[in-house]
Amino acid sequence: MSSMSLFSGIDHINTHTRLENESFTAMFGSITVDLTRQRLAPGDHTISAFAMFGAVVIRVPADVGLHVDGGTMMGDTEYEWRTVDDRPLSSAERTEVEFETAPVRLRITAVAMFGEVKIVRVVTGERTAPALPGEPLPAMSGDAGSYEGETRRIASL
């Protein structure tokens, strides 16, 4: 699931139930990672986000325990609350979930150099947001196909 954006933009919708050492890097580009569409399995999950002259936005369900660490150099790391329709939430509408007691725990290491990493807590009213009307997630096939083989070959160069 890891992604890298170089002078481009990527919108990534998570379809996995486990996130182990996933990495998102934006250099002169942007990546939006949406974790609200697929339930994460109970337990610990890890993500790292790096933005250099770019931006990484990670949308996390509000009921997931969250621990964020990392740092910035001439950059910014933000944390905000939104509804599914991207409306900002007031502090009265928020329900903070304790990391230690949450069944699903996500650790994010965020590093921004002349860029931005933004974590957006999305209050959905249920564990996952409904899929967008008319846009079902693509079916995952067991056959890797020629594209994935080519991607692996290029990545190993």
Side-chain angles (χ1 to χ4, degrees):
M1 179 171 118
S2 299
S3 298
M4 179 180 175
S5 170
L6 181 63
F7 293 103
S8 62
I10 296 173
D11 289 326
H12 185 88
I13 297 173
N14 178 49
T15 58
H16 302 283
T17 59
R18 297 279 334 145
L19 302 174
E20 296 182 22
N21 300 318
E22 305 298 340
S23 174
F24 300 97
T25 302
M27 298 174 69
F28 298 97
S30 65
I31 298 177
T32 299
V33 181
D34 191 347
L35 302 177
T36 64
R37 304 287 185 90
Q38 174 66 47
R39 288 180 187 250
L40 294 176
D44 294 320
H45 304 269
T46 57
I47 289 179
S48 65
F50 176 74
M52 179 187 286
F53 295 101
V56 177
V57 176
I58 303 170
R59 295 174 52 86
V60 180
D63 63 344
V64 171
L66 190 61
H67 175 79
V68 180
D69 62 5
T72 63
M73 182 173 134
M74 303 295 287
D76 191 24
T77 300
E78 291 185 22
Y79 183 81
E80 65 182 42
W81 288 77
R82 297 272 175 173
T83 61
V84 174
D85 59 356
D86 210 29
R87 182 181 56 82
L89 284 172
S90 69
S91 58
E93 296 175 285
R94 302 175 191 168
T95 305
E96 191 68 44
V97 176
E98 293 294 325
F99 179 78
E100 295 81 18
T101 60
V104 178
R105 294 172 300 281
L106 177 62
R107 294 178 187 275
I108 299 175
T109 302
V111 177
M113 297 175 64
F114 300 98
E116 175 186 41
V117 176
K118 182 188 291 186
I119 293 107
V120 179
R121 300 297 295 245
V122 180
V123 177
T124 62
E126 56 184 61
R127 181 97 201 304
T128 58
L132 294 175
E135 286 188 46
L137 294 176
M140 301 297 284
S141 72
D143 179 26
S146 63
Y147 176 79
E148 186 170 338
E150 289 298 309
T151 304
R152 287 187 185 143
R153 186 180 66 76
I154 292 168
S156 66
L157 296 177

